[in-house]
Amino acid sequence: PTRRTRTCALTHIATMSASTSAISAKARSCFAGTAPRGSRRALARSGATAATSADKCRARRSLTPRAAVAEPPGPSRTDAEIRAEEAILAGDDSDGTIAGFTKLEWSCIQTPARYLGNEIGAVHKDWDSAEVRFTMAYPEIYEVGASNLGHVVLYTILNNQPGMLCDRSYLPGEDMEQLMKSKDRKLFAVESKRPLAHFDALGLSLAYELGAVNILEMLHLSGVPLSWKERDDKPDEVWDVDNGSWPLVFIGGPTATSNPEPVADFCDFVCIGDGEDIMPEIGECLKKCKREKLNREETLFRLATEVVGVYVPRFYDSPPGWGGAVFPIREGVPERVLRRVSDPNPLMQIGLVPYVSTVHDRLTVEIRRGCTRGCRFCQPGMLTRPARDVDPEVVVEAVERGMRDTGYNEFSLLSLSCSDYLALPSVGLEIKNRLRDENVTLSLPSQRIDRFDDSVANILGGAGKAGLTFAPEAGTQRLRDIVNKGLTNDELLHGVQTAYDRGWRNVKLYFMIGLPGETDADVLGIAETVEWLIKTVAGNVARKRDELTLTLTLSNFTPKPHTPFQWHSVSTDEFERRGTLLKAALKKVRNVKSNWTSIRISAMEDFIGRGDRALCPVIRRSWELGAHKDTWWDGQDASFRAFDGAIAEAGLDWKYRQVVNGEWDVLEKLGDKDYRAQGGGGKGRVDRGALADERLDAPLPWDHIDTGIAKWWLKADLQKALEGITVPDCSHSGICTECGVCGDEFGENVVAEVPPLPVFEGHYTPDGRRTQRLRFRFTKDGKESFIGHLDTLRLLERAARRAALPVSMTRSPYSSRPRISTAMALPLGASSEAEMMEIVLTEKMNAEEVRAKLDEQLPAGMRLTEVEDLPVKYLNGRYMETMNELLNSAEFLVHVAVPGAVAKPGVTAGGAGDAPSWDVEGGGAFFDAGKNGDGIPEAEVEEEDAEAAAAAAAEAAAEAKAAAATTPEDWRGWVAGAMALDSFKIKKTSKKGNTRQVDLRPQLLGLEYMDQTAVDAALKGKHIPIPPTPQAGTALLRFKGEYTGAGGLSVDNMAKILGSVAGKELQVLHSHRVAISLDEPTPPKVDKLWLDNIVRAEAFMGLERIWDPEAGVNNRGHMGGDTDGDRIDNHKSYRPAEEKEKESEKDLPPGRNNKWKKK
């Protein structure tokens, strides 16, 4: 069986480790897959063993049980040797090597800045001085994880604790995963570049049910066994990661807090609730345990008994016949684990500023945590009580400081329902007024449509106006009352009408189908409500652009634990039927777009979200068969085949069928006259009494999690849903609903006092004055060479904002941009000492002071070396040319190699291509079932692989021999041949698919082979990844190519020209830009007529002041005493009249610029 690399599997990890001074003799392969057989048993159990012989195998998906595979032979290395090598690679950055990967390999990775750990706000603490080491990672790729607020907050808090170190890690992309496998490297933390198995605690965030498989993927990539039983391989020894112990693996997040049982086998402990207070307590507890030299089990017992909110699954059991409920099996651990509650602190949320564009590429400030609206379908509203407002002054201070410290031009105020923060209009307008001159945009992720008014519209309006999303949830008033949405049709109309009147022409609405008590009339009510809003709000407008467009997101209701609807389920067939009904109705409504969620995904979310420990083998087996989050969207069928097979193997088909078929409609008594408010005088209740449903009292897998909300209250609220009774918001109504949260353990609702509403001072007006133009030269090397061009522009803009420079803005009414530009893009991975940038300022400043201010805000690899103060305009008022208009050429030092001279990178440039596979036992999936389905690959496939490997080895040996025989004379001859070419034509394809031939030879302005003396002179004092003595088969060239604003000859195309002469495909190892050449500005031609008139006018006025002083006292703009006389700039009237249009031109057909072409 073989396992293929899977793309972008996502997991949240956090690890920490003690010092690396003591290293055990136990050889375990946490870094390389080449340790001796005996040292790899633990990894074999967890599926982390790599096989070098399977790199070229193509594995096929199958559900057949895998067969045992012998481990491939490898050189014997002790654990001490492996860890020493890891430590060296983590800190080695010589010759461009980072984390053990060469510069060439980093250049082949898509967006390598994800893995550098050098963002603004990144913390690099000393490894050896930290007593406890965490890695806060995230179960998504970098662009998602780095913009997660909780991730940033916990990272900041832990690094603020004495004696604690916190690094970050993210799930790698497919190309990085392939590169790690080719180099036998395990997943590493971005700051220290240490493998995750070096840390003491490895944390995984579970924010989504289907993300459970990504926990396993991340553990596998980090070389850590998958289950807590496998990690407890030395129960009687002291727990010490440096002496061979595995890290403690823990999970957190909303899904883990809700129901951790489906992943209980994979974690050592779970953090229940908010993390701001519990994480430092965990760190302090681990300090004590390490000092007392406790073993793994006793360390976990300390955590379970001393840190409130820590749940350790090994101390609990789920006996048969109890519905998946769990009970303690060790004395001393709490029977129910209490959810932790922390107050939000916006000042701790000002953190990382990534260099790459992230999903939420803005400053995020939390204004309110918790929600007491009481929507009966909403799990976050139940798990985050009580509601806690942040003081308005703290919010304003955090936003103002955060915008200036980070350089962002957009911020977001975060809450489950921002409109329930009653101080929002006052706070928003105060921030808007304070930052009025700084081109700042505000976005609100969630709003109550019944509280959207002119004040909120003022906050959101202006340049870069944010979109609007409202959530009516249901299409009829009856169903909104059942789910306790608390929204009327009039409020819905008022909110959409206000948005339309304030300039929004597209509004997004969120609805659900499958809610308890829903009928076909409620489903069709969504289409009726949408049509009514469009007709009522916009009416019959004359222009199409003034029409109202509604974008609908329609999701399938998924019941969640700890909510009044946690017992409910709807069959997938019923979802299909209702969806078809609604789609047909929406087709008849104009100006409506709709997005639908997958019904099968919703069913799987329900199956896992309300599951028990019996699902742990299902999740593990489905991961082995290839299911992971990426395939839920890109390959649903394959993922469902994997899950279906895993469910069948576990014998849980019956349980999954209950979900798919709709096990129980909790409002099935709706309309029954025996029950209250159903007509007929019925007095029965579903929650208690003679007609109570016994199924509501059955134990549940999450009953041991104490969220603060009493189970009897959830049942009583379900009864109110049956009666269509709404429950008020206790935070603002003052009416307690007796949910059970408020008290000493969880605190009380905190509602901030609303400050007076400030006067709105208007939206941002771009300052487009161009008073001063500064041109800078700067370097770009080191890690910063792996930041792409667009990301570099964004970096420079944010640095200018942090430096508080008065940058001139374009005056676009839609998207005003700062006037900051660079001369030309630098290829990813290339370094430079001659980059050029221009900044236009609105105020005159000392050029050197500007350089110093801006230089402080730039990363280490970008240093401003020169600044030049240039005129903005010519004397006639015309603006001077831009750098792109003056650009003519660029000069590079290029390190090139013939085939076989250097080792090929472990990943192909521009993408991962076919990922290599490895053999595992009990690990990841996509294995070859063989012809007989026995899990044994066919012999002929292995023979083909052996033949292909032998042929590839022979080819590589021949290339290496030819490369070693390459001489400087060969290089000189090839260079001379390239310069002697008359032409070199290639085909270029436009974005529209049109092809044309382009001759590159005229763009090759110069090419020179550099001997050792020239190399020494060129590299002296430069820290660039080019060896001082080029190895055999490589050469250092000086290349000069033509470049204009429209493009030019790239380094890669130069290599193609040279390779055509050499008869080889040359490889560019590195390029370093040493110069950019600009043409001299072309001043406008002298307008003699204009100058003659100016002189004549001044002469007349001078004579007039002598001969008639009274008439010329105030005459500075006219010739003659009469103020209505000719002005001095009226010289154009003396020009000869333009030649009249010829008669023949009048007959020309109307066409673009026909008149001007003739002239």
Side-chain angles (χ1 to χ4, degrees):
T2 58
R3 181 200 181 285
R4 170 177 290 179
T5 304
R6 299 188 294 275
T7 62
C8 246
L10 313 168
T11 313
H12 182 149
I13 44 186
T15 53
M16 73 188 189
S17 166
S19 67
T20 57
S21 56
I23 300 175
S24 73
K26 175 195 145 210
R28 60 177 172 81
S29 166
C30 71
F31 169 68
T34 53
R37 176 176 300 186
S39 67
R40 299 170 60 187
R41 292 176 189 152
L43 291 182
R45 290 197 304 269
S46 69
T49 305
T52 58
S53 62
D55 285 346
K56 293 184 178 291
C57 289
R58 292 181 175 273
R60 297 189 297 273
R61 300 187 184 206
S62 172
L63 302 180
T64 310
R66 56 176 78 249
V69 175
E71 297 176 349
S76 177
R77 291 196 297 166
T78 66
D79 188 60
E81 292 171 335
I82 293 172
R83 293 183 67 89
E85 180 182 352
E86 292 174 324
I88 292 173
L89 292 177
D92 183 22
D93 62 350
S94 60
D95 298 327
T97 299
I98 303 173
F101 303 129
T102 66
K103 180 266 163 188
L104 183 60
E105 289 167 332
W106 279 107
S107 299
C108 295
I109 296 296
Q110 183 181 9
T111 320
R114 295 169 173 172
Y115 314 103
L116 299 180
N118 62 337
E119 309 96 322
I120 301 296
V123 180
H124 296 265
K125 300 183 79 170
D126 181 63
W127 179 269
D128 295 326
S129 63
E131 190 173 356
V132 177
R133 304 183 186 98
F134 290 89
T135 293
M136 292 307 300
Y138 200 80
E140 300 277 356
I141 59 174
Y142 177 87
E143 286 81 348
V144 178
S147 61
N148 181 270
L149 182 61
H151 175 70
V152 174
V153 169
L154 296 182
Y155 172 76
T156 303
I157 288 176
L158 286 174
N159 276 316
N160 285 342
Q161 307 303 313
M164 298 185 197
L165 174 150
C166 184
D167 280 6
R168 296 167 293 132
S169 185
Y170 305 93
L171 194 100
E174 180 185 5
D175 48 6
M176 175 55 82
E177 186 176 343
Q178 178 184 341
L179 179 59
M180 290 192 303
K181 287 168 56 179
S182 70
K183 305 280 284 190
D184 286 333
R185 289 227 59 187
K186 298 303 178 186
L187 189 61
F188 55 88
V190 297
E191 282 90 355
S192 66
K193 304 298 184 295
R194 298 265 183 166
L196 298 187
H198 281 204
F199 291 77
D200 291 315
L202 190 156
L204 308 154
S205 175
L206 189 61
Y208 177 60
E209 292 86 353
L210 300 185
V213 288
N214 305 319
I215 291 177
L216 304 184
E217 179 71 8
M218 204 121 179
L219 289 174
H220 179 76
L221 291 174
S222 59
V224 175
L226 302 187
S227 70
W228 65 262
K229 293 180 181 178
E230 293 169 297
R231 292 189 293 272
D232 195 11
D233 54 352
K234 298 184 297 183
D236 298 328
E237 296 183 14
V238 174
W239 173 70
D240 187 349
V241 172
D242 291 330
N243 280 325
S245 302
W246 293 109
L248 295 178
V249 176
F250 67 95
I251 65 173
T255 302
T257 296
S258 167
N259 179 19
E261 292 311 302
V263 293
D265 285 356
F266 312 128
C267 57
D268 292 297
F269 66 93
V270 183
C271 297
I272 304 297
D274 297 337
E276 289 95 327
D277 296 329
I278 193 174
M279 289 306 300
E281 294 176 15
I282 290 173
E284 292 298 329
C285 184
L286 290 179
K287 283 184 183 180
K288 296 178 183 177
C289 294
K290 293 181 70 175
R291 292 167 185 167
E292 297 177 20
K293 301 186 182 303
L294 301 181
N295 64 16
R296 190 181 191 90
E297 182 173 349
E298 292 306 312
T299 298
L300 290 169
F301 183 74
R302 282 281 187 91
L303 287 171
T305 55
E306 294 186 3
V307 181
V308 177
V310 169
Y311 166 57
V312 182
R314 70 190 297 165
F315 300 141
Y316 297 77
D317 189 25
S318 177
W322 285 86
V326 300
F327 304 95
I329 57 174
R330 176 164 176 173
E331 186 177 354
V333 298
E335 184 176 342
R336 301 188 71 204
V337 181
L338 199 68
R339 171 176 64 92
R340 293 298 294 267
V341 175
S342 302
D343 293 331
N345 182 2
L347 297 177
M348 296 299 295
Q349 297 165 5
I350 305 171
L352 296 169
V353 184
Y355 291 141
V356 303
S357 180
T358 58
V359 173
H360 303 296
D361 202 12
R362 54 182 174 262
L363 174 70
T364 302
V365 172
E366 190 176 13
I367 58 175
R368 189 175 198 254
R369 184 174 298 180
C371 179
T372 51
R373 280 280 180 173
C375 298
R376 294 181 175 117
F377 54 83
C378 181
Q379 184 187 68
M382 300 295 172
L383 290 182
T384 58
R385 296 185 178 199
R388 288 139 287 156
D389 286 358
V390 179
D391 185 87
E393 293 183 1
V394 176
V395 174
V396 174
E397 178 189 354
V399 172
E400 192 172 14
R401 178 178 133 194
M403 297 302 287
R404 295 196 165 101
D405 288 353
T406 62
Y408 282 119
N409 66 337
E410 183 179 356
F411 70 96
S412 174
L413 300 180
L414 181 64
S415 173
L416 286 175
S417 177
C418 290
S419 302
D420 287 336
Y421 183 67
L422 301 184
L424 176 65
S426 300
V427 168
L429 287 178
E430 180 64 24
I431 296 171
K432 195 88 172 179
N433 290 340
R434 291 193 188 186
L435 304 177
R436 180 173 176 265
D437 298 328
E438 299 187 27
N439 188 28
V440 169
T441 302
L442 165 65
S443 64
L444 298 175
S446 58
Q447 302 171 70
R448 292 278 306 189
I449 193 170
D450 51 332
R451 285 190 172 150
F452 183 78
D453 55 17
D454 288 339
S455 298
V456 179
N458 285 333
I459 297 172
L460 295 175
K465 182 184 294 185
L468 287 179
T469 301
F470 302 117
E473 309 293 0
T476 62
Q477 188 65 56
R478 183 192 74 90
L479 190 55
R480 285 197 289 268
D481 290 343
I482 288 178
V483 302
N484 199 45
K485 181 61 181 176
L487 178 68
T488 66
N489 287 333
D490 290 341
E491 292 169 335
L492 178 60
L493 175 62
H494 178 267
V496 176
Q497 186 70 61
T498 301
Y500 181 84
D501 293 341
R502 296 304 299 266
W504 278 271
R505 293 295 179 264
N506 183 278
V507 176
K508 298 179 182 179
L509 299 179
Y510 182 90
F511 292 96
M512 283 192 288
I513 58 174
L515 288 164
E518 184 182 64
T519 64
D520 287 354
D522 298 310
V523 175
L524 295 175
I526 295 175
E528 294 169 359
T529 299
V530 168
E531 184 177 17
W532 168 67
L533 286 173
I534 292 175
K535 291 181 177 179
T536 306
V537 171
N540 296 321
V541 293
R543 298 182 300 180
K544 185 173 180 61
R545 66 180 182 180
D546 288 334
E547 294 178 350
L548 175 65
T549 300
L550 296 180
T551 301
L552 311 183
T553 297
L554 298 126
S555 65
N556 312 298
F557 169 63
T558 304
K560 303 291 184 181
H562 306 289
T563 67
F565 292 158
Q566 64 183 352
W567 297 276
H568 182 73
S569 62
V570 181
S571 71
T572 55
D573 290 340
E574 188 63 17
F575 276 130
E576 288 278 6
R577 189 189 69 81
R578 296 180 188 182
T580 302
L581 185 67
L582 181 56
K583 288 177 183 177
L586 288 175
K587 285 182 179 179
K588 304 174 183 178
V589 184
R590 293 179 64 247
N591 298 332
V592 172
K593 302 175 183 177
S594 58
N595 303 308
W596 299 77
T597 58
S598 167
I599 294 175
R600 294 192 69 185
I601 287 180
S602 299
M604 193 58 67
E605 289 174 1
D606 187 10
F607 180 64
I608 297 176
R610 294 191 294 172
D612 53 28
R613 288 195 185 183
L615 293 189
C616 291
V618 173
I619 292 174
R620 178 163 182 164
R621 185 57 178 155
S622 62
W623 170 78
E624 292 173 355
L625 297 174
H628 60 94
K629 188 173 183 179
D630 199 46
T631 59
W632 289 118
W633 315 113
D634 297 335
Q636 287 189 31
D637 292 339
S639 288
F640 280 115
R641 282 198 301 271
F643 255 105
D644 291 344
I647 292 170
E649 288 184 22
L652 295 177
D653 306 68
W654 62 273
K655 190 176 184 66
Y656 186 51
R657 281 197 300 271
Q658 285 181 336
V659 175
V660 172
N661 297 332
E663 178 184 12
W664 179 24
D665 179 359
V666 293
L667 293 188
E668 60 188 2
K669 303 299 183 182
L670 196 64
D672 190 329
K673 295 181 180 180
D674 291 336
Y675 289 83
R676 288 173 47 175
Q678 308 295 308
K683 298 184 182 298
R685 297 176 61 101
V686 297
D687 59 325
R688 63 177 184 266
L691 298 180
D693 198 315
E694 295 180 354
R695 291 174 291 183
L696 296 178
D697 295 320
L700 297 171
W702 51 89
D703 281 346
H704 61 294
I705 303 299
D706 186 0
T707 66
I709 296 180
K711 193 173 182 179
W712 67 262
W713 184 87
L714 296 176
K715 296 190 296 182
D717 204 43
L718 180 64
Q719 170 64 31
K720 292 178 181 178
L722 182 68
E723 301 176 30
I725 298 175
T726 59
V727 176
D729 183 347
C730 61
S731 294
H732 303 306
S733 67
I735 301 174
C736 179
T737 60
E738 299 181 351
C739 69
V741 168
C742 292
D744 295 336
E745 293 175 337
F746 300 98
E748 308 279 344
N749 291 328
V750 177
V751 180
E753 183 178 351
V754 179
L757 191 68
V759 177
F760 179 51
E761 298 178 4
H763 295 299
Y764 166 74
T765 301
D767 188 349
R769 293 176 298 153
R770 299 190 230 182
T771 305
Q772 186 179 23
R773 183 168 67 117
L774 299 178
R775 180 178 295 168
F776 300 86
R777 290 186 182 272
F778 66 94
T779 65
K780 191 178 180 187
D781 53 32
K783 293 181 179 179
E784 283 66 36
S785 64
F786 298 108
I787 301 175
H789 177 62
L790 295 179
D791 295 329
T792 299
L793 291 177
R794 191 182 303 109
L795 182 158
L796 294 171
E797 291 177 7
R798 290 175 180 169
R801 280 192 285 269
R802 290 194 299 271
L805 299 181
V807 180
S808 175
M809 307 293 294
T810 61
R811 292 181 174 175
S812 166
Y814 304 105
S815 180
S816 183
R817 303 286 301 174
R819 287 194 168 98
I820 300 177
S821 59
T822 56
M824 58 186 296
L826 187 69
L828 185 68
S831 58
S832 174
E833 60 187 75
E835 294 304 281
M836 300 178 70
M837 168 183 63
E838 282 190 1
I839 298 181
V840 181
L841 304 178
T842 60
E843 301 173 8
K844 188 75 174 177
M845 298 182 67
N846 181 276
E848 282 299 326
E849 289 182 4
V850 173
R851 188 195 67 78
K853 282 186 176 182
L854 189 58
D855 201 42
E856 290 179 359
Q857 303 301 330
L858 293 176
M862 298 175 67
R863 301 173 299 280
L864 300 178
T865 56
E866 298 178 19
V867 61
E868 184 180 2
D869 198 339
L870 301 172
V872 176
K873 296 180 179 180
Y874 290 108
L875 293 177
N876 70 342
R878 180 167 69 86
Y879 287 106
M880 299 189 72
E881 296 90 342
T882 64
M883 288 187 296
N884 273 345
E885 293 172 328
L886 299 176
L887 190 62
N888 64 31
S889 65
E891 190 173 337
F892 293 84
L893 298 178
V894 185
H895 190 204
V896 294
V898 298
V902 295
K904 293 182 179 180
V907 61
T908 56
D914 290 331
S917 55
W918 50 39
D919 289 339
V920 297
E921 182 179 336
F926 296 155
F927 61 91
D928 192 336
K931 290 181 178 179
N932 302 319
D934 56 3
I936 302 176
E938 295 87 338
E940 53 266 28
V941 175
E942 294 181 353
E943 292 174 1
E944 292 174 4
D945 291 338
E947 293 174 1
E955 181 182 356
E959 288 181 347
K961 184 177 180 180
T966 304
T967 64
E969 286 70 24
D970 294 331
W971 286 105
R972 291 190 181 94
W974 297 338
V975 168
M979 295 301 296
L981 290 175
D982 294 328
S983 66
F984 184 81
K985 295 182 179 180
I986 63 170
K987 283 186 178 181
K988 282 194 173 182
T989 304
S990 67
K991 292 181 180 179
K992 295 183 178 179
N994 301 323
T995 59
R996 60 189 178 94
Q997 276 200 338
V998 178
D999 188 3
L1000 298 181
R1001 177 58 190 86
Q1003 300 176 13
L1004 180 60
L1005 304 181
L1007 188 62
E1008 173 191 352
Y1009 170 77
M1010 303 177 68
D1011 57 20
Q1012 190 59 51
T1013 303
V1015 170
D1016 294 340
L1019 299 183
K1020 185 178 181 180
K1022 294 184 175 73
H1023 182 66
I1024 54 178
I1026 296 177
T1029 303
Q1031 63 267 41
T1034 70
L1036 187 62
L1037 308 176
R1038 186 179 293 274
F1039 154 62
K1040 185 175 183 180
E1042 180 186 73
Y1043 282 87
T1044 65
L1049 182 62
S1050 66
V1051 173
D1052 289 335
N1053 281 336
M1054 179 276 294
K1056 288 182 181 179
I1057 296 176
L1058 188 61
S1060 68
V1061 177
K1064 304 174 184 292
E1065 185 177 352
L1066 301 182
Q1067 184 178 24
V1068 177
L1069 303 180
H1070 184 71
S1071 61
H1072 177 77
R1073 187 146 61 198
V1074 295
I1076 295 177
S1077 299
L1078 305 179
D1079 289 327
E1080 288 296 326
T1082 305
K1085 294 181 180 180
V1086 177
D1087 190 340
K1088 293 184 178 180
L1089 178 60
W1090 184 75
L1091 292 176
D1092 289 345
N1093 278 285
I1094 288 293
V1095 173
R1096 185 180 298 113
E1098 290 290 347
F1100 272 109
M1101 287 187 291
L1103 292 173
E1104 202 167 31
R1105 283 192 292 272
I1106 295 174
W1107 294 335
D1108 189 1
E1110 293 182 2
V1113 169
N1114 297 315
N1115 184 14
R1116 293 298 305 160
H1118 295 82
M1119 293 181 292
D1122 187 1
T1123 56
D1124 294 329
D1126 294 333
R1127 297 188 62 85
I1128 62 172
D1129 59 353
N1130 201 23
H1131 61 278
K1132 295 179 182 178
S1133 61
Y1134 295 103
R1135 293 180 181 274
E1138 293 184 356
E1139 186 177 349
K1140 292 185 178 180
E1141 189 176 18
K1142 295 180 181 180
E1143 292 296 324
S1144 60
E1145 293 177 357
K1146 294 182 179 179
D1147 299 330
L1148 288 174
R1152 184 179 180 186
N1153 294 333
N1154 272 334
K1155 176 180 176 182
W1156 302 111
K1157 287 178 182 177
K1158 275 289 182 182
K1159 291 197 174 195

